[in-house]
Amino acid sequence: MRKVEMKLVYARQIAEDTIEMKLEDNYITQIAEPGQFIYIALPNFTLRRPISIADVDREQKQLTILFKIFGRGTASFAAYEPGMIVDCIGPNGNGFPFDTDKMEKVLLIGGGIGVPPLYYLGKKLKSKGIEVTSILGYQTAAQVFYEEEFNQLGETIVVTDDGSYGEKGYVTDIITDSFNFDLYYSCGPTGMLRALTSKLQDKKGYISLEERMGCGVGACAACVVSTKNEQGYLKICHDGPVFPAKEVIL
Amino acid sequence: MRKVEMKLVYARQIAEDTIEMKLEDNYITQIAEPGQFIYIALPNFTLRRPISIADVDREQKQLTILFKIFGRGTASFAAYEPGMIVDCIGPNGNGFPFDTDKMEKVLLIGGGIGVPPLYYLGKKLKSKGIEVTSILGYQTAAQVFYEEEFNQLGETIVVTDDGSYGEKGYVTDIITDSFNFDLYYSCGPTGMLRALTSKLQDKKGYISLEERMGCGVGACAACVVSTKNEQGYLKICHDGPVFPAKEVIL
Amino acid sequence: MMDLQVKLPGLNLKNPVMPASGCFGFGKEYSRFYDLSLLGAVMMKAATGTERLGNPTPRVAETSSGMLNAIGLQNPGVDKIIAEEVPFLAQYDTEIIANIAGSTIEEYKEVAKKFNDAPEVKAFELNISCPNVKEGGIQFGTDPDMAKEVTTIVKRASDKPVYVKLSPNVSNIVAMAKAVEEAGADGLTMINTLTGMQIHLPSRRPLIANKTGGLSGAAIKPIAIRMIYEVREQVNLPIIGMGGIETAEDVLEFLLAGANAVAVGTANFQNPLVMPEIINELPKTLEKYGFSSVHDAIGKAVFV
Amino acid sequence: MMDLQVKLPGLNLKNPVMPASGCFGFGKEYSRFYDLSLLGAVMMKAATGTERLGNPTPRVAETSSGMLNAIGLQNPGVDKIIAEEVPFLAQYDTEIIANIAGSTIEEYKEVAKKFNDAPEVKAFELNISCPNVKEGGIQFGTDPDMAKEVTTIVKRASDKPVYVKLSPNVSNIVAMAKAVEEAGADGLTMINTLTGMQIHLPSRRPLIANKTGGLSGAAIKPIAIRMIYEVREQVNLPIIGMGGIETAEDVLEFLLAGANAVAVGTANFQNPLVMPEIINELPKTLEKYGFSSVHDAIGKAVFV
Ligand SMILES: Cc1cc2nc3c(=O)[nH]c(=O)nc-3n(C[C@H](O)[C@H](O)[C@H](O)COP(=O)(O)OP(=O)(O)OC[C@H]3O[C@@H](n4cnc5c(N)ncnc54)[C@H](O)[C@@H]3O)c2cc1C
Ligand SMILES: Cc1cc2nc3c(=O)[nH]c(=O)nc-3n(C[C@H](O)[C@H](O)[C@H](O)COP(=O)(O)OP(=O)(O)OC[C@H]3O[C@@H](n4cnc5c(N)ncnc54)[C@H](O)[C@@H]3O)c2cc1C
Ligand SMILES: Cc1cc2nc3c(=O)[nH]c(=O)nc-3n(C[C@H](O)[C@H](O)[C@H](O)COP(=O)(O)O)c2cc1C
Ligand SMILES: Cc1cc2nc3c(=O)[nH]c(=O)nc-3n(C[C@H](O)[C@H](O)[C@H](O)COP(=O)(O)O)c2cc1C
Ligand code: FES
Ligand code: FES
């Protein structure tokens, strides 16, 4: 984890209010793992913004982020143009654990802007010969992104809340007993994670959490999550953002 | 006086830390008079910055400003690039009064970044057949600007504090009895204006003042100056920035 | 159409937005930018018994997301304000609120009496942040007993509703609010500025000639919201809220916290059109967050 | 070479810059970014008698030029801090200051006693902004008598110099400073955060789960400078100043106002390298404004 200047080399809108960017540097791109995030400073904002690493190309020294224009910070970031320098800390946190010897099939479940970190994970797993199935949930057709990319990784089911694209409903509606997997990985809104982890309580899984952050490096105790064991609170920025689904209280 | 969006059409560094810009709009450029100023909003700064109008081209709908990088605001403004929009209020205040029937020769005395408003005034006066002599004072050679432009208006003497260019000394050192003029106009640091108005106390003159401003339009009473008559305080942004030299207490 | 009206003691506001005292003079300058009839009300600049010249300059300084000011109550005195400024504002279809200041209780009383005879003035805002010269400079606004006393006297001296303007420079804002409530205040306006200082490094002197100045602007908004929340929970007076308002969303935040109407100060300097823009935006903003009127939003924050 | 050293009761600071309590944990995380031996001192996160889990989340919110926090004293308890955290920090060539908190006077006393036996801890910072559960939640930090009492007890319980951390949420900061001076405090640290609130419009709830939070960052710097100026004029204790420091120029502003050393809080979140950068910049900044050492600049603002 270092503070580095990354160069924005590419930016494009890929869905409603959703931006894809590629950032270049010599450090973060060389060590980032799926599930980690970068912590981005924006001029005139007190706090940095955490954004997941959605893909990494070590050779090109580039990483991809995907983010939604949510408030003022992401709006101002969306206006950056290629060539500009982005002040980042990274890679932060711990990524998705995987032991490729012990698994054959995994299920990825992403909700909205929780989809991005699963992409880099899926790519990694596929390259190691793991079978990847993905369920991607979005609010509506205009917000769907990266369907094609996930299709390359394996079977991909898109769900929209309003049925305007793919299946209608929530990601949890889709997961039936016919799904066969050793492990699941998920990232998305807390409501979705709560429903999902309760539905899949007999399965082993890892979930990636979000919380408002101060330092982003584990020093201020802003971003805690309660755990089911004696550890008390864990810090999402430092001990997470990925946790075993059974360990945390949502 | 209106709030308008001006388009930056040209920007260039013309001396050490000194920027020349041309701004375009349909309103301010059509009515601005010498001595008035525009009041510029910069993103993420609470207060606007007052900058004098240094020249106007009504046909091209452009005005020129010249400013020094002084603190954070002017530094961020100096980084603007042509094509960008500048949020301005203007034209503010009252300009330099002149009655071309009653004068033949005028003396312009500018100190540092007080030089700009005198240029537009000098141009106007010259075009009406008035003889213009200019004394321009700067700290040092690297800060000298617009000498050539003033030369076009009439005799121009440049003075530097350290003698690195032109005459050595202060503008007040230069003004001897051999100078023959009906009226003087001056703008510059308060210390210079104090020395000047006391030296020229027998002459009629107008001086342009600076003060830290809040509203910039006469509503908040931040920018007052004491007067020698019963008016008490006058507002520089509204009643000035130009005042008869004999009226105000510096 | 979205109903923006608010009725408060003495005031029928067509919308809840008005300029904060001292940031709008007596309206003339901003009337060059737009029709003042658009405003819910106008809070005039502070009036004292006789003319005040105010403090030496510099009187303002910029800070991060805010500014300091120490104008020092410069005003032409109550008589001239009634004779020359009130008639100008009375041309517009908006409510006029007089801001009353003084260095002694007698001065407050005298100013209140004079404004009481001006029918165009609909309510008073009592500026109790001025130091009391008699009591050695202690502010009326930080001592509950003194605040109570000055409120009582002004209430007695006039029939008009009195809104007391609370200073945030206190340990216990609720105690201040309760004190003036007991004294018969009809409403509160809050918050005034927080006392601050900036030192100019090259000269090693305070940038404001008066040394300290009042901090206003977006920087203080969280403090204003907190204080309005605290007071709203324990005091029953209507509140005109202020402190860092720049957008229609900020207005809604104040309404939710418990303000019945709002005033905009510093933001006028950045954007002279900010109030008409906010008023124009407000119906959309209310609708976006599920409110059917201004009234519907007041005090609707959920604190449990 | 510019002399940056400052000597304060119990502390030999190689430079006047240290992290503010609660913004730096116990140093481990930032030690990944730079060598903590660069720092003048480290103010540790608040310690209580036993482990505290703190408040529910969200615990932070962003504001204009600042932030709100309501961490709620989450910490592993004084014993674990002495056993696990102090030894880590003791590896570095820097001074360790323990921040002591509690909900009862007894708890403060107990924590102080334990830290008194830790030789690596050079001084205490007494965090009196915590609500006293026994007295019904009234803050020690806004009542001079309670501040005095807790200071007296902690002074008695230990030999180490005690710096009392003043809360800015008071009507009279000088009265607070004098009260703890009388109680034997060796120094002051100021300011803690200003209480604020932000309401999240979509949910209509305070953004901070604890409702209110402490406002920090550049937004509050003018208030910190004003309070340090006021206290410096009337109280003889050394002051460690804080509140919105982001640059070496800010440090100089605090020194001029009367601070003997400074702490940096919120700015670490924006730039984890901010303290080494400030320390590196400080000699140039001092020189630029005509000072020959840190000592030379302390209290050198001109107020006449
Ligand atoms: C570990 C992690 C990874 C994330 N990855 C992504 C991603 O890949 N793509 C994406 O679009 N979003 C992601 N988010 C959410 C993203 O950080 C927020 O949408 C963003 O911070 C909002 O900033 P804003 O200025 O637009 O909103 P504002 O509401 O103006 O922000 C105000 C403050 O709240 C914080 N905040 C607001 N929403 C969130 C949130 N959901 N989580 C954390 N802090 C928040 C901001 O960081 C800021 O400090 C991630 C969050 C976390 C914690
Ligand atoms: C009527 C008028 C006309 C001016 N014309 C010019 C011009 O043509 N060219 C030029 O270079 N400068 C001019 N100035 C000065 C210019 O406004 C300041 O240099 C500028 O505001 C500094 O801003 P900053 O952000 O760089 O400095 P900062 O010190 O960061 O500014 C902080 C605050 O102080 C104010 N301030 C600082 N210095 C001055 C000053 N000298 N006068 C008024 N406010 C100040 C700023 O506006 C801002 O509100 C003029 C000033 C006035 C009053
Ligand atoms: C330049 C200036 C002058 C002010 N003068 C007065 C005044 O005369 N009377 C008063 O009660 N408040 C005065 N105030 C305080 C404002 O009315 C308001 O309470 C405060 O600025 C907070 O609002 P804001 O953040 O929107 O500016 C003044 C504020 C400023 C910035
Ligand atoms: C996240 C956070 C946690 C804090 N925790 C503590 C604490 O535990 N004890 C304490 O005395 N002050 C605490 N503070 C206050 C800071 O030490 C400091 O006084 C204040 O933030 C002002 O400085 P700044 O503006 O540089 O942050 C905390 C501040 C922040 C932002
Ligand atoms: S954000 Fe500071 S500990 Fe996670
Ligand atoms: S700046 Fe407000 S009156 Fe001049």
Side-chain angles (χ1 to χ4, degrees):
Chain A
M1 187 175 52
R2 282 193 200 152
K3 176 172 175 285
V4 298
E5 296 195 332
M6 300 190 85
K7 187 167 154 197
L8 176 58
V9 290
Y10 169 96
R12 169 175 83 115
Q13 183 171 340
I14 56 165
E16 189 183 58
D17 289 340
T18 310
I19 309 290
E20 178 185 46
M21 282 184 178
K22 288 190 199 298
L23 301 169
E24 199 175 274
D25 93 308
N26 293 321
Y27 174 76
I28 299 180
T29 57
Q30 299 311 299
I31 57 169
E33 292 296 332
Q36 291 187 301
F37 66 97
I38 55 174
Y39 202 35
I40 303 173
L42 301 167
N44 300 303
F45 289 91
T46 309
L47 298 175
R48 289 172 176 260
R49 268 56 181 169
I51 301 287
S52 299
I53 295 166
D55 196 8
V56 174
D57 183 333
R58 298 232 202 277
E59 270 171 36
Q60 298 282 323
K61 302 187 171 178
Q62 291 181 358
L63 62 76
T64 304
I65 55 175
L66 299 163
F67 67 92
K68 187 154 176 174
I69 300 176
F70 176 77
R72 286 196 204 174
T74 46
S76 90
F77 190 34
Y80 273 44
E81 279 167 21
M84 287 173 74
I85 295 301
V86 186
D87 173 351
C88 298
I89 297 175
N92 287 34
N94 299 309
F96 294 105
F98 51 88
D99 181 345
T100 45
D101 294 345
K102 293 198 184 131
M103 57 206 219
E104 286 178 10
K105 292 184 178 185
V106 305
L107 183 61
L108 308 181
I109 310 119
I113 207 61
V115 167
L118 299 176
Y119 179 64
Y120 184 31
L121 174 67
K123 249 179 87 173
K124 266 244 156 123
L125 292 176
K126 189 184 174 207
S127 76
K128 312 235 163 175
I130 314 290
E131 191 184 324
V132 174
T133 306
S134 308
I135 305 176
L136 310 178
Y138 302 91
Q139 277 173 359
T140 185
Q143 295 182 4
V144 174
F145 63 88
Y146 261 46
E147 183 188 12
E148 198 40 54
E149 284 80 352
F150 276 88
N151 270 330
Q152 307 283 325
L153 306 179
E155 190 194 347
T156 299
I157 304 161
V158 172
V159 203
T160 53
D161 296 2
D162 61 3
S164 55
Y165 191 88
E167 312 277 317
K168 178 175 161 69
Y170 298 122
V171 293
T172 40
D173 302 337
I174 300 297
I175 306 172
T176 56
D177 291 342
S178 67
F179 277 94
N180 190 342
F181 55 92
D182 308 315
L183 204 64
Y184 73 92
Y185 295 96
S186 183
C187 182
T190 309
M192 179 194 104
L193 294 179
R194 216 177 268 133
L196 185 77
T197 51
S198 108
K199 180 154 189 171
L200 298 181
Q201 54 189 305
D202 299 330
K203 292 283 192 178
K204 185 169 177 187
Y206 291 95
I207 56 177
S208 177
L209 304 182
E210 285 187 8
E211 187 50 80
R212 286 175 190 254
M213 294 182 174
C215 66
V217 302
C220 76
C223 66
V224 295
V225 58
S226 306
T227 57
K228 292 185 181 147
N229 51 39
E230 21 14 310
Q231 288 178 285
Y233 281 133
L234 288 177
K235 292 167 187 161
I236 291 177
C237 69
H238 182 262
D239 306 314
V242 176
F243 296 94
K246 291 184 178 137
E247 195 175 287
V248 291
I249 302 169
L250 294 177
Chain B
M1 189 175 51
R2 283 193 200 153
K3 177 171 174 286
V4 298
E5 296 194 331
M6 301 192 83
K7 188 168 152 196
L8 177 59
V9 290
Y10 169 96
R12 169 175 82 114
Q13 182 171 340
I14 55 165
E16 189 183 57
D17 290 339
T18 310
I19 310 290
E20 177 184 49
M21 283 186 179
K22 288 190 198 296
L23 302 169
E24 198 175 274
D25 92 310
N26 293 321
Y27 173 75
I28 298 179
T29 56
Q30 299 310 299
I31 58 170
E33 293 295 333
Q36 291 186 301
F37 66 96
I38 55 174
Y39 202 36
I40 303 173
L42 300 167
N44 300 303
F45 289 91
T46 308
L47 298 175
R48 289 172 176 261
R49 268 55 181 171
I51 301 288
S52 300
I53 295 165
D55 196 8
V56 173
D57 183 333
R58 297 230 202 280
E59 270 171 38
Q60 298 282 323
K61 302 187 171 179
Q62 290 181 358
L63 62 75
T64 302
I65 55 175
L66 299 163
F67 67 92
K68 185 152 179 179
I69 299 176
F70 177 78
R72 286 196 203 175
T74 45
S76 90
F77 190 35
Y80 273 43
E81 279 168 20
M84 287 173 75
I85 295 299
V86 186
D87 173 351
C88 297
I89 297 175
N92 288 31
N94 299 310
F96 293 104
F98 51 88
D99 182 344
T100 45
D101 294 345
K102 295 199 183 133
M103 55 208 221
E104 287 178 10
K105 291 184 176 184
V106 305
L107 184 62
L108 308 181
I109 309 119
I113 208 60
V115 167
L118 300 176
Y119 180 64
Y120 184 31
L121 174 68
K123 248 178 89 172
K124 266 245 155 121
L125 293 175
K126 189 184 176 208
S127 75
K128 313 234 163 176
I130 313 291
E131 191 183 325
V132 174
T133 306
S134 309
I135 305 176
L136 311 178
Y138 303 90
Q139 276 173 1
T140 184
Q143 295 181 6
V144 175
F145 62 90
Y146 261 47
E147 183 188 13
E148 197 39 56
E149 285 81 350
F150 276 88
N151 270 330
Q152 307 284 324
L153 307 179
E155 190 195 347
T156 299
I157 302 161
V158 173
V159 201
T160 53
D161 296 2
D162 61 3
S164 55
Y165 191 89
E167 310 279 317
K168 179 173 159 68
Y170 298 120
V171 293
T172 39
D173 301 337
I174 300 298
I175 306 172
T176 54
D177 292 342
S178 67
F179 277 93
N180 191 343
F181 54 94
D182 308 314
L183 203 64
Y184 73 92
Y185 296 96
S186 183
C187 182
T190 308
M192 178 194 106
L193 293 179
R194 215 177 270 136
L196 186 76
T197 50
S198 108
K199 179 154 192 171
L200 299 181
Q201 52 190 309
D202 299 330
K203 290 283 191 178
K204 184 167 177 187
Y206 290 95
I207 55 176
S208 178
L209 303 181
E210 285 188 10
E211 187 49 82
R212 286 173 191 255
M213 295 183 173
C215 67
V217 301
C220 76
C223 66
V224 296
V225 59
S226 307
T227 58
K228 292 188 182 145
N229 51 39
E230 21 14 310
Q231 290 177 285
Y233 279 134
L234 288 178
K235 292 167 187 162
I236 291 176
C237 68
H238 182 263
D239 307 314
V242 175
F243 296 94
K246 290 184 179 139
E247 196 175 286
V248 291
I249 304 168
L250 295 178
Chain C
M1 227 193 72
M2 187 67 71
D3 181 7
L4 299 184
Q5 285 180 77
V6 178
K7 274 197 204 309
L8 294 179
L11 303 169
N12 281 322
L13 310 176
K14 62 169 73 115
N15 66 61
V17 182
M18 64 191 84
S21 180
C23 302
F24 204 73
F26 300 98
K28 264 191 198 120
E29 296 77 14
Y30 287 97
S31 76
R32 296 174 68 180
F33 288 96
Y34 58 89
D35 178 0
L36 302 187
S37 297
L38 289 169
L39 300 172
V42 170
M43 286 169 151
M44 294 192 293
K45 196 175 166 32
T48 49
T50 51
E51 183 183 16
R52 292 280 183 97
L53 288 180
N55 293 320
T57 57
R59 293 176 169 189
V60 292
E62 192 179 56
T63 69
S64 293
S65 296
M67 64 176 284
L68 294 171
N69 90 81
I71 306 296
L73 295 182
Q74 180 182 337
N75 82 94
V78 58
D79 294 327
K80 248 195 172 157
I81 291 172
I82 292 174
E84 292 170 17
E85 307 293 352
V86 172
F88 172 80
L89 278 174
Q91 299 172 74
Y92 295 95
D93 176 22
T94 191
E95 302 284 59
I96 303 176
I97 303 173
N99 183 283
I100 298 182
S103 347
T104 59
I105 296 217
E106 293 69 45
E107 188 174 3
Y108 277 99
K109 187 172 154 187
E110 179 199 334
V111 178
K113 276 197 166 153
K114 289 191 167 161
F115 274 129
N116 198 43
D117 298 333
E120 304 91 336
V121 172
K122 294 295 159 53
F124 296 165
E125 183 184 41
L126 215 62
N127 181 350
I128 57 170
S129 302
C130 328
N132 182 341
V133 287
K134 273 213 181 153
E135 308 289 333
I138 297 169
Q139 292 199 349
F140 291 105
T142 53
D143 182 275
D145 294 332
M146 283 172 73
K148 203 164 167 173
E149 196 181 336
V150 65
T151 307
T152 307
I153 301 284
V154 169
K155 275 300 291 179
R156 275 198 213 130
S158 124
D159 319 317
K160 310 217 174 182
V162 174
Y163 293 76
V164 181
K165 184 157 187 178
L166 300 185
S167 162
N169 301 296
V170 297
S171 309
N172 188 342
I173 191 78
V174 174
M176 294 302 303
K178 285 189 170 162
V180 303
E181 183 179 39
E182 279 171 34
D186 300 277
L188 302 169
T189 68
M190 57 193 291
I191 58 176
N192 213 320
T193 52
L194 283 128
T195 310
M197 178 184 270
Q198 195 176 73
I199 296 173
H200 184 237
L201 302 183
S203 67
R204 305 181 188 180
R205 289 177 184 276
L207 197 47
I208 298 270
N210 186 50
K211 296 186 205 170
T212 62
L215 182 65
S216 62
I220 69 168
K221 196 183 71 169
I223 299 169
I225 294 288
R226 184 264 295 183
M227 290 190 163
I228 291 169
Y229 150 75
E230 284 180 350
V231 168
R232 166 58 75 226
E233 300 259 297
Q234 301 202 45
V235 179
N236 269 323
L237 298 176
I239 297 171
I240 302 176
M242 65 200 72
I245 293 176
E246 293 179 341
T247 65
E249 302 216 333
D250 292 339
V251 172
L252 179 55
E253 190 178 354
F254 274 77
L255 296 176
L256 291 177
N260 301 70
V262 298
V264 179
T266 305
N268 290 294
F269 304 164
Q270 169 73 228
N271 176 7
L273 301 172
V274 69
M275 286 192 285
E277 285 175 12
I278 286 175
I279 293 164
N280 192 42
E281 209 55 44
L282 197 53
K284 276 173 270 177
T285 304
L286 288 165
E287 199 183 317
K288 174 172 172 194
Y289 293 103
F291 297 98
S292 58
S293 67
V294 164
H295 194 260
D296 186 28
I298 296 168
K300 286 295 162 54
V302 182
F303 291 113
V304 283
Chain D
M1 226 195 70
M2 186 66 71
D3 181 8
L4 300 183
Q5 285 180 78
V6 178
K7 274 196 204 308
L8 296 178
L11 303 169
N12 281 321
L13 309 177
K14 62 169 72 115
N15 66 61
V17 181
M18 64 191 85
S21 180
C23 303
F24 205 72
F26 300 98
K28 268 193 194 114
E29 296 77 15
Y30 287 96
S31 75
R32 296 174 67 182
F33 288 95
Y34 59 89
D35 178 0
L36 303 187
S37 297
L38 289 168
L39 300 172
V42 171
M43 285 169 154
M44 293 192 293
K45 195 174 165 31
T48 50
T50 51
E51 183 184 17
R52 292 279 181 97
L53 288 180
N55 293 320
T57 57
R59 293 176 169 189
V60 292
E62 193 179 56
T63 69
S64 294
S65 296
M67 64 177 282
L68 294 171
N69 90 81
I71 306 296
L73 294 182
Q74 180 181 337
N75 82 93
V78 59
D79 293 329
K80 246 191 171 163
I81 291 173
I82 292 173
E84 292 170 16
E85 308 292 353
V86 172
F88 172 80
L89 278 174
Q91 298 172 75
Y92 295 95
D93 177 23
T94 190
E95 303 283 60
I96 303 176
I97 303 172
N99 182 283
I100 298 181
S103 344
T104 59
I105 296 216
E106 293 69 46
E107 189 175 2
Y108 277 98
K109 186 173 156 186
E110 180 199 331
V111 178
K113 275 195 167 158
K114 290 190 167 161
F115 274 130
N116 198 43
D117 298 334
E120 304 91 336
V121 172
K122 295 294 160 54
F124 296 165
E125 183 185 41
L126 216 60
N127 180 350
I128 57 171
S129 302
C130 328
N132 182 342
V133 286
K134 274 214 184 152
E135 307 289 333
I138 298 170
Q139 292 198 349
F140 291 105
T142 53
D143 181 275
D145 293 332
M146 283 171 74
K148 202 164 168 174
E149 196 181 336
V150 65
T151 308
T152 307
I153 301 284
V154 168
K155 274 301 290 179
R156 275 196 214 131
S158 125
D159 320 317
K160 310 215 174 183
V162 175
Y163 293 76
V164 181
K165 183 158 186 177
L166 300 185
S167 162
N169 301 294
V170 296
S171 309
N172 188 341
I173 192 77
V174 174
M176 294 300 305
K178 284 189 171 162
V180 304
E181 182 178 40
E182 279 172 33
D186 302 277
L188 301 170
T189 69
M190 57 193 291
I191 57 176
N192 212 319
T193 53
L194 283 128
T195 310
M197 179 185 268
Q198 195 177 74
I199 296 173
H200 183 238
L201 302 183
S203 67
R204 305 182 186 178
R205 288 176 184 278
L207 197 48
I208 298 270
N210 185 49
K211 297 186 206 171
T212 62
L215 183 65
S216 62
I220 69 169
K221 196 183 72 170
I223 300 169
I225 295 288
R226 183 265 295 183
M227 289 188 163
I228 290 169
Y229 150 75
E230 285 180 350
V231 168
R232 168 56 77 226
E233 300 260 296
Q234 301 201 42
V235 179
N236 268 324
L237 298 175
I239 297 171
I240 302 176
M242 63 199 74
I245 293 175
E246 294 180 341
T247 65
E249 301 215 333
D250 293 338
V251 171
L252 179 54
E253 190 179 355
F254 274 78
L255 296 176
L256 291 178
N260 302 70
V262 298
V264 179
T266 305
N268 291 292
F269 304 165
Q270 169 73 228
N271 177 7
L273 301 172
V274 68
M275 286 191 285
E277 284 174 13
I278 286 175
I279 293 164
N280 192 42
E281 209 56 43
L282 197 52
K284 275 174 272 178
T285 304
L286 288 164
E287 199 183 318
K288 174 173 172 193
Y289 293 102
F291 297 99
S292 59
S293 68
V294 164
H295 194 261
D296 186 27
I298 295 168
K300 288 293 162 58
V302 181
F303 291 112
V304 283

